[in-house]
Amino acid sequence: MSKLLLFLFLNLFLAASLSAQKINSDYQLHIQKASSEILIDGALDEQAWLDAEVATDFFMITPMDTSFARVRTDVRMTYDDENLYLLVENFHAVEGPYMVESLRRDFSFGKNDNFLLFMDPFDDQTNGFSFGANAAGAQWDGIMYNGGSVDLSWDNKWSSKVTNYDDKWVFEAKIPFKSIRYKKGITEWGINFSRLDLKTTEKSGWAPVPRQFPSASLAYTGILVWDEAPPQTGANISVIPYALGGFSKDVSSGEEAVYRKEVGLDAKIGLTSSLNLDLTVNPDFSQVEVDRQVTNLDRFELFFPERRQFFLENGDLFAGFGYSTIRPFFSRRIGLNAPIQFGARLSGKINKNWRVGAMNMQTGKVKEDELPAQNFTVLALQRQVGARSNITGLFINKQSLNYNPDPDAEAPIYSQFNRNVGLEYNLASSNNLWTGKAMMLQSFGPDNVGNGFVHAANLKYTAGNLTWSWQHEYVSENYTAEVGYVPRRGFYKANPQVGYRWFPKSEKILSHGPDVSTTFFFNKNGEKTDNTTFLAYNLKWRSQSTFMMWTSTDYVRLQRPFDPTNYSGDTLATGTEHQWYAMGAEFTSKPQSVFTYAFTTRLGGYYANGERYNVTAELGYRFQPYVSITMNAGYNEIHLPEPWNTTSFWLVGPRVDVTMTNTLFFTAFVQYNEQIENINLNTRFQWRFKPASDLFLVYTDNYLPAPFYTKNRSLVLKFTYWWNL
């Protein structure tokens, strides 16, 4: 199978290299310099808008992709020496109020009437930016990577206004050229516009996109044709200082409260219109929302995504290398147990075909943990090949500074260094039907400890009805990525998958069809250690409700002791074999209702001839557009022989989002996790008093459930200001 995959890669590499013509090159919107001053007020009353060319006659993407959209959308764009302007008229197709969750920034796409702009200012069909709003005026912005993924954690300086009329809602935006990166001198950008109207359940795009792909797919953008090259931004330097005060108190240890008075600084320096230098001194990320907890019954470490702003722009150069469980670089390892003192990051486009990323971060010493000061260096160089494919080289170095471990110790607490070198080919055909990657990694450590090798590859075909993929992975026992996320080592994995969808001519059902996959793990001797075979049937209604029912069979031969409850401390022995069958279902209600709900169920076997039952539910209610209330609850019940017997866990998480305006937000949520015996309370108030400038007030408490006892608490008041020089 590996030889066949290599053969297909070589043929597709040749095809991708020869296919440079854009699919939707006939869809062109001409943009000219504004003929008058523009006020961002959500009104079509300036001469510049009357003179601008109009993009209209959108194509339907869902429920069908074979006709024009029923809902009319008109888009105009213009610019001046400093800003790019956008005005969109979103007409109503049927009577009734708009549908939104709240005024919360970076809203959930499928739960809001919205308009989104996707632009590829590098014209490489791989990287770009997205801006938009819902019908109540909540903003959306994100950085685009991998040809169609959007990271909404990215945040930048821009302004917008939404005004509602009887027959339409109008979205008007001003995006400073300094807030985006673009290739110098080119007069054609990839661009597309997406509209979601929940009353008609219609998603549409200006340039047509096949329904099996997201509307964000950069392979299917049209062209924004400039009357002249976009203006150079000149000195592009932004300074973002912060100041905070607060306290934290570890009540459980009886220690005195620790008071914080800190200042720090971030800076963004645009070296060119497409190459940026980010600097940070004494960064603080106290305003970043805490992770959503989960019940952990897995044998391996769980993954939680990066949310810190400094690591996000062009983050795919570093963090996108590898697969979900083979990440040689995972930025959350930096500053995990030690404060970050300073850092620098250079990233962006050198020219049409080359991207570069270079990062250096320095953490301080933690005496009580004997953790030395550490330096992290990451270098990435990417070369575009063909229309949308690329080759990336990666180097990672983690170095302990002034660290001299006891030579008589059996093993040092921390390594003196860990290095990774890798090469990866990312395949994306011009029409996006074929995608995949092939990668190799080598790790290095002191005295050859931690020297190991990784190889992995996958190939995926996505057509209108049929989807199939093959993926295999090999990770040696000694492979080490101390700055990465590789929860499992010493295995070979093979994973074929196939799915099919029918799209009937029905007034109620949009699509239905099966998915089948099987995953095998083998150890270094070629012996099977794991196998999961999964069969599901999916149903999607035109109302956007979804239902899935599934069944699976699992086999595990444990490679190390494992507690199947991740709670009791009692473990199953290495080498024991376990096999079981399970089944379940998932349902999500239509997003148009102010009351929404979803549930999942699972019942069947478990380790040691046991049984596991699981149900999760989410209830939501919104008083649009100001208040959104959700309740998440999960229950697990595990029946095992002695010494475990019956174990049960609740995980409950109510949440309230209050959005008084699209610049004033309050969020409060509680997480009760019975498995780790903790109640977490987190509240956050945010006032965006100017674009990308904020005042935060964050309060966090952790409690022991029974008896109800405070473990620790903290309060932080933080002020940030975005200042363009």
Side-chain angles (χ1 to χ4, degrees), residues 429-540:
S429 64
S430 59
N431 58 9
N432 214 38
L433 294 180
W434 293 94
T435 55
K437 71 167 60 178
M439 57 169 287
M440 295 183 295
L441 282 165
Q442 177 69 47
S443 66
F444 303 90
D447 301 320
N448 295 325
V449 176
N451 290 12
F453 180 74
V454 169
H455 163 68
N458 82 290
L459 186 62
K460 183 177 182 180
Y461 176 76
T462 307
N465 300 89
L466 175 68
T467 300
W468 66 262
S469 67
W470 166 271
Q471 181 172 335
H472 67 261
E473 302 172 1
Y474 168 73
V475 180
S476 70
E477 288 184 320
N478 297 324
Y479 175 74
T480 307
E482 293 183 8
V483 200
Y485 176 76
V486 187
R488 183 169 184 162
R489 297 185 298 178
F491 69 88
Y492 178 87
K493 171 186 172 182
N495 174 213
Q497 301 181 57
V498 64
Y500 195 87
R501 293 292 182 273
W502 287 277
F503 294 87
K505 294 181 179 179
S506 168
E507 294 183 357
K508 294 185 177 181
I509 296 176
L510 174 62
S511 66
H512 63 94
D515 290 318
V516 183
S517 71
T518 185
T519 305
F520 291 93
F521 285 88
F522 304 91
N523 62 19
K524 65 179 182 180
N525 299 318
E527 300 166 329
K528 184 175 72 173
T529 62
D530 301 76
N531 173 232
T532 297
T533 299
F534 182 86
L535 171 63
Y537 203 89
N538 302 268
L539 180 63
K540 185 171 185 177

Side-chain angles (χ1 to χ4, degrees), residues 337-339 341 362-376 398-405 413-417:
N337 299 312
Q341 295 178 329
Q362 178 70 44
T363 61
K365 184 177 182 179
V366 182
K367 292 183 179 179
E368 55 268 29
D369 294 332
E370 299 183 37
L371 176 63
Q374 294 180 322
N375 184 266
F376 302 82
K398 174 187 175 183
Q399 191 85 34
S400 297
L401 305 179
N402 301 316
Y403 180 52
N404 299 300
I413 301 175
Y414 302 101
S415 66
Q416 290 182 305
F417 70 86

Side-chain angles (χ1 to χ4, degrees), residues 277-298:
L277 176 64
D278 290 279
L279 304 174
T280 187
V281 178
N282 192 33
D284 169 81
F285 306 104
S286 56
Q287 82 278 8
V288 175
E289 189 171 286
V290 299
D291 295 312
R292 183 170 175 175
Q293 296 181 20
V294 296
T295 299
N296 181 15
L297 295 173
D298 200 90

Side-chain angles (χ1 to χ4, degrees), residues 439-722:
M439 57 169 287
M440 295 183 295
L441 282 165
Q442 177 69 47
S443 66
F444 303 90
D447 301 320
N448 295 325
V449 176
N451 290 12
F453 180 74
V454 169
H455 163 68
N458 82 290
L459 186 62
K460 183 177 182 180
Y461 176 76
T462 307
N465 300 89
L466 175 68
T467 300
W468 66 262
S469 67
W470 166 271
Q471 181 172 335
H472 67 261
E473 302 172 1
Y474 168 73
V475 180
S476 70
E477 288 184 320
N478 297 324
Y479 175 74
T480 307
E482 293 183 8
V483 200
Y485 176 76
V486 187
R488 183 169 184 162
R489 297 185 298 178
F491 69 88
Y492 178 87
K493 171 186 172 182
N495 174 213
Q497 301 181 57
V498 64
Y500 195 87
R501 293 292 182 273
W502 287 277
F503 294 87
K505 294 181 179 179
S506 168
E507 294 183 357
K508 294 185 177 181
I509 296 176
L510 174 62
S511 66
H512 63 94
D515 290 318
V516 183
S517 71
T518 185
T519 305
F520 291 93
F521 285 88
F522 304 91
N523 62 19
K524 65 179 182 180
N525 299 318
E527 300 166 329
K528 184 175 72 173
T529 62
D530 301 76
N531 173 232
T532 297
T533 299
F534 182 86
L535 171 63
Y537 203 89
N538 302 268
L539 180 63
K540 185 171 185 177
W541 284 269
R542 287 181 180 265
S543 67
Q544 304 302 303
S545 297
T546 61
F547 176 74
M548 178 181 73
M549 56 187 303
W550 59 268
T551 182
S552 69
T553 175
D554 288 80
Y555 166 82
V556 175
R557 185 169 67 180
L558 290 173
Q559 303 300 291
R560 56 185 58 85
F562 173 62
D563 174 8
T565 67
N566 267 340
Y567 176 80
S568 68
D570 297 305
T571 58
L572 297 165
T574 300
T576 55
E577 296 185 73
H578 309 269
Q579 187 165 5
W580 65 85
Y581 298 91
M583 61 185 298
E586 300 179 6
F587 177 80
T588 302
S589 69
K590 63 181 182 180
Q592 299 92 322
S593 302
V594 294
F595 173 69
T596 58
Y597 56 95
F599 70 84
T600 69
T601 63
R602 187 261 188 210
L603 66 152
Y606 198 53
Y607 291 90
N609 294 317
E611 295 179 332
R612 177 186 163 212
Y613 305 96
N614 165 258
V615 60
T616 67
E618 178 180 286
L619 303 177
Y621 194 86
R622 63 180 186 265
F623 301 89
Q624 62 179 32
Y626 301 111
V627 180
S628 176
I629 302 172
T630 58
M631 167 64 80
N632 290 279
Y635 177 74
N636 278 276
E637 185 174 298
I638 302 171
H639 297 269
L640 293 166
E642 293 184 349
W644 300 278
N645 298 315
T646 299
T647 306
S648 61
F649 301 122
W650 276 101
L651 178 62
V652 180
R655 177 187 178 110
V656 177
D657 283 294
V658 181
T659 55
M660 291 152 273
T661 70
N662 62 359
T663 60
L664 203 61
F665 315 101
F666 174 77
T667 301
F669 63 90
V670 178
Q671 298 185 100
Y672 167 54
N673 191 333
E674 193 173 9
Q675 187 182 35
I676 62 174
E677 298 181 341
N678 188 70
I679 298 175
N680 170 254
L681 168 66
N682 183 270
T683 62
R684 184 177 67 159
F685 173 82
Q686 178 185 359
W687 175 32
R688 174 147 289 189
F689 57 90
K690 283 189 175 182
S693 299
D694 300 278
L695 181 69
F696 295 97
L697 181 64
V698 182
Y699 178 75
T700 303
D701 247 336
N702 284 286
Y703 304 93
L704 187 70
F708 193 74
Y709 181 82
T710 303
K711 295 181 180 179
N712 54 69
R713 59 170 48 115
S714 66
L715 177 69
V716 172
L717 179 65
K718 181 177 180 181
F719 172 86
T720 67
Y721 187 80
W722 189 299

Side-chain angles (χ1 to χ4, degrees), residues 230-295:
Q232 295 302 297
T233 55
N236 187 359
I237 302 175
S238 299
V239 177
I240 313 164
Y242 81 85
L244 69 80
F247 77 91
S248 61
K249 182 176 177 62
D250 191 342
V251 179
S252 60
S253 66
E255 297 179 358
E256 293 295 322
V258 177
Y259 292 91
R260 301 177 62 189
K261 297 178 181 178
E262 299 177 14
V263 294
L265 181 73
D266 288 345
K268 290 179 172 289
I269 303 172
L271 302 180
T272 70
S273 61
S274 58
L275 190 63
N276 197 64
L277 176 64
D278 290 279
L279 304 174
T280 187
V281 178
N282 192 33
D284 169 81
F285 306 104
S286 56
Q287 82 278 8
V288 175
E289 189 171 286
V290 299
D291 295 312
R292 183 170 175 175
Q293 296 181 20
V294 296
T295 299

Side-chain angles (χ1 to χ4, degrees), residues 42 92 98 134-137 162-170:
H92 300 310
Y98 59 71
N134 70 12
V162 166
T163 302
N164 279 271
Y165 301 90
D166 290 339
D167 62 335
K168 64 187 176 182
W169 58 276
V170 175

